[in-house]
Amino acid sequence: MYIDDKESRRRQKEAQDARNNRAEIVKALSQGQISRRDLVRWGIFTAGGLLACKNGLSPYAQSAFATVPTGTPRSPLFGATKFSQPVHRLDVQQPIPLTRNAQGHAVFPSTSAEPNAKKHSYHTDYNAYTGQSANPFRNPITGRGPMEGRPPGDFFAHQRWDEFFPKAGYVLSMGQCDSDTYYHPRMPHQDANSVWSFGRGRFARGKAIPPLIKGRYGEPILTRIYNNLPVDRSKNNGFGRNEISTHFHNAHNGAESDGASNAFHFPGTFYDYVWSTTLARRDKINKLATDRRASGPNGSGGLNLVAGDFRELQGSMWFHDHRFFFTAENVYKGNFGAINYYSGPDRGHEELDDGVNLRLPSGKLLDYGNVDFDVNLIVHDCAFNPQGQLFFDIFDSDGFVGDIICVNNTYAPFFEVLPRKYRFRLLNACMSRFIKLVLADSAGKAVPFQFIANDGNLVVNPLSLQALDEQGTGERYDIVVDFSKFKIGSKIRMLNLLKQTNGRMPDKTLTIAEATKGIADDPGAGAFMEF
């Protein structure tokens, strides 16, 4: 898909023109000017929903200057080199304690100026208001409709509100990125609407550093997400839709809080999601909550016991946009974050020995949720236009693979580690790219590690591996790496061994030597992080 920078000017221009044509269609789709049905009718999409293989449009159509595909120009790096900037650690969110008032609403502290969270949405309050002043329940940005994006009625009321009354609150906003947002200091800062990301609080702007929420079993969470995106759909730098719906991937939550793809809300509104932090099969197994392994940290060295099957404890989780037809674009644009669930066995405290805690690498200063040596690494691929702005290519029906691999929205970073054990929570947040990760020393030899969890659940026993299995979009793998075996100053690199030249599936698995050398037609294979 990606052509070499050494190709002729004519081939470079042909590839760029085709990409510009694709970008115009993506832009028109994102702004609602055309529909996918229009594209099929015009012969641009096939009946199967794939991009038609036409010269001047598809990167896979034969070039006018060679008997090879047209291809796509590589992203400009503006002098940025690999392993020349530290990785961003995720932005740890601080919980806000919630209390219950006489009406049964969840009350934020008065200093937060946040309206109460309720079992039912604010639609009823908006419609019933008869005062003389401006309706206090209206959307403050548009002046129309209620301030809450959750639909009205029992269908979207929070299920089992009394049983799982939220104890911890989080307030996030999805909006334009800040002016100093970049993927590498040598690369251009991103325009406000190139990246849409999370910020803390109601009006914050993000810096493309994904948030991290630290939940614990026995403490239901209410997460309020404001939509602070531009009201005008056309202000999106060519892709992405300004309507959002947040899906907590793989979690056990009620349907109203699961980010249904059509339950999106509009700029100026918020949506309250209740995450119950419950264990699966709680009505069948350990119903009386007597098993100490089915538990969460209580904050004081003890445990809060919960009903359910301890084998279903979840750990490394994530949330992302779920907007119908625009999930890929919105997630790619920055609408994603991580959630770590902490439990009795997976407490995030490596020294506390209570007969339940597995004492996994983490730290010891906090009662739970230490992240000194417990590190979330979100791997995702990107592409940039000639001006260095984030660019979404092709269509999500074909599948998009970028030529730049980032970790936590940082281009090919390094991470300084101590000579000790670390836990890494690895998430594949690419749109269509599969990855197969391996660690290699300076001699190109695989570094062994312990595999401890996948997709949120701990394995029965750690597995000693030298490479991970293929990891698809949204999959999580947790590993423990022991750096004490290496001399001070040693460098270990993480590589992707999969060559993938289209969005449908990988082409082949490379050897460490092949990946280290690099693959001409897939810049996304090879080393992308250094320890």
Side-chain angles (χ1 to χ4, degrees):
M1 175 175 172
Y2 290 97
I3 62 176
D4 198 298
D5 290 335
K6 298 177 183 178
E7 291 288 348
S8 68
R9 286 188 178 182
R10 291 189 301 174
R11 278 210 66 197
Q12 294 285 350
K13 184 178 184 304
E14 177 190 49
Q16 183 61 50
D17 287 345
R19 185 163 77 162
N20 291 343
N21 291 336
R22 299 193 298 273
E24 285 299 315
I25 297 172
V26 172
K27 180 179 179 181
L29 279 168
S30 71
Q31 297 176 8
Q33 297 170 349
I34 60 174
S35 69
R36 290 172 183 262
R37 181 172 295 180
D38 293 330
L39 296 178
V40 174
R41 186 159 49 88
W42 298 336
I44 295 175
F45 265 7
T46 67
L50 300 178
L51 180 65
C53 193
K54 296 182 178 182
N55 183 270
L57 181 64
S58 171
Y60 307 114
Q62 182 174 316
S63 169
F65 305 104
T67 56
V68 294
T70 300
T72 297
R74 293 193 181 184
S75 298
L77 292 175
F78 301 92
T81 57
K82 289 185 176 182
F83 321 129
S84 58
Q85 65 168 331
V87 69
H88 291 312
R89 296 296 300 270
L90 300 192
D91 184 19
V92 178
Q93 306 298 299
Q94 299 304 315
I96 302 170
L98 301 177
T99 56
R100 185 170 185 149
N101 66 12
Q103 291 75 41
H105 302 161
V107 180
F108 286 84
S110 58
T111 53
S112 71
E114 289 292 334
N116 297 343
K118 310 191 304 177
K119 180 178 181 180
H120 290 81
S121 73
Y122 276 92
H123 281 258
T124 301
D125 304 79
Y126 174 80
N127 293 330
Y129 181 72
T130 58
Q132 299 299 313
S133 59
N135 192 325
F137 305 109
R138 75 190 189 287
N139 180 330
I141 301 299
T142 65
R144 300 167 58 189
M147 62 185 177
E148 185 175 4
R150 185 159 49 110
D154 289 335
F155 195 79
F156 276 87
H158 291 306
Q159 299 179 49
R160 300 165 86 160
W161 173 257
D162 295 326
E163 185 178 358
F164 300 116
F165 188 84
K167 299 177 182 178
Y170 293 89
V171 179
L172 293 167
S173 56
M174 169 52 56
Q176 299 170 311
C177 69
D178 211 344
S179 58
D180 62 347
T181 298
Y182 55 80
Y183 288 82
H184 189 282
R186 298 292 297 272
M187 299 173 71
H189 289 199
Q190 295 297 299
D191 292 341
N193 289 316
S194 286
V195 174
W196 291 342
S197 55
F198 284 106
R200 295 189 188 191
R202 186 186 303 188
F203 303 112
R205 293 176 68 169
K207 294 184 179 180
I209 301 175
L212 169 62
I213 291 176
K214 297 194 293 186
R216 52 178 169 164
Y217 281 96
E219 183 180 68
I221 294 170
L222 185 138
T223 302
R224 173 167 291 174
I225 297 180
Y226 281 90
N227 184 344
N228 290 340
L229 297 173
V231 175
D232 185 352
R233 280 183 178 176
S234 66
K235 295 181 178 179
N236 66 349
N237 271 17
F239 69 95
R241 181 58 69 88
N242 60 349
E243 301 146 8
I244 60 175
S245 176
T246 303
H247 173 59
F248 186 170
H249 197 99
N250 279 161
H252 305 141
N253 293 317
E256 84 290 342
S257 295
D258 196 41
S261 60
N262 279 320
F264 50 84
H265 60 110
F266 298 91
T269 62
F270 65 82
Y271 195 116
D272 283 343
Y273 298 89
V274 173
W275 298 334
S276 58
T277 62
T278 56
L279 275 175
R281 295 186 281 183
R282 66 187 311 277
D283 298 324
K284 297 291 184 181
I285 296 177
N286 186 34
K287 292 189 292 185
L288 300 179
T290 57
D291 189 337
R292 296 182 69 241
R293 295 169 296 183
S295 59
N298 67 3
S300 302
L303 298 172
N304 289 321
L305 304 187
V306 297
D309 187 349
F310 83 94
R311 294 170 297 183
E312 296 286 351
L313 288 168
Q314 297 177 302
S316 301
M317 312 288 281
W318 73 307
F319 59 97
H320 58 81
D321 184 68
H322 220 218
R323 169 60 162 95
F324 188 56
F325 270 149
F326 296 96
T327 294
E329 295 176 42
N330 285 357
V331 175
Y332 177 80
K333 210 170 175 75
N335 191 331
F336 61 87
I339 301 177
N340 293 349
Y341 265 176
Y342 296 96
S343 59
D346 192 0
R347 190 184 187 98
H349 191 305
E350 62 186 28
E351 291 195 357
L352 191 150
D353 188 0
D354 60 359
V356 174
N357 181 28
L358 296 174
R359 303 174 63 184
L360 295 168
S362 49
K364 61 182 181 180
L365 297 181
L366 305 176
D367 176 69
Y368 72 94
N370 290 281
V371 293
D372 304 86
F373 312 107
D374 181 349
V375 184
N376 293 78
L377 299 178
I378 302 177
V379 181
H380 53 108
D381 54 352
C382 301
F384 299 92
N385 68 16
Q387 292 73 44
Q389 297 301 305
L390 191 65
F391 183 87
F392 187 80
D393 204 352
I394 326 180
F395 308 100
D396 55 5
S397 55
D398 259 345
F400 166 71
V401 289
D403 62 329
I404 300 295
I405 302 294
C406 295
V407 181
N408 298 351
N409 280 328
T410 317
Y411 166 62
F414 67 81
F415 181 46
E416 292 185 329
V417 295
L418 296 175
R420 53 154 292 152
K421 291 182 179 179
Y422 280 75
R423 174 184 184 167
F424 295 113
R425 302 173 186 253
L426 301 165
L427 162 66
N428 178 358
C430 302
M431 295 304 98
S432 300
R433 181 184 287 277
F434 289 76
I435 56 177
K436 183 177 176 64
L437 303 183
V438 65
L439 295 168
D441 61 19
S442 56
K445 184 179 179 181
V447 174
F449 54 84
Q450 298 290 103
F451 178 81
I452 63 169
N454 63 346
D455 283 352
N457 298 91
L458 294 169
V459 296
V460 176
N461 291 299
L463 305 173
S464 296
L465 301 176
Q466 292 192 339
L468 287 169
D469 197 356
E470 287 188 8
Q471 191 171 354
T473 297
E475 287 190 299
R476 287 91 61 209
Y477 291 159
D478 288 26
I479 64 173
V480 172
V481 182
D482 188 357
F483 293 106
S484 67
K485 301 175 182 179
F486 301 94
K487 295 181 180 179
I488 302 298
S490 298
K491 295 180 179 180
I492 310 299
R493 289 184 175 175
M494 182 174 283
L495 299 90
N496 171 31
L497 297 183
L498 287 185
K499 173 185 176 182
Q500 186 167 343
T501 53
N502 63 60
R504 303 177 195 178
M505 61 188 299
D507 298 359
K508 60 182 266 188
T509 299
L510 307 173
T511 65
I512 291 178
E514 289 173 328
T516 300
K517 184 179 179 180
I519 301 297
D521 52 351
D522 184 12
F528 63 88
M529 186 171 184
E530 185 175 79
F531 300 94

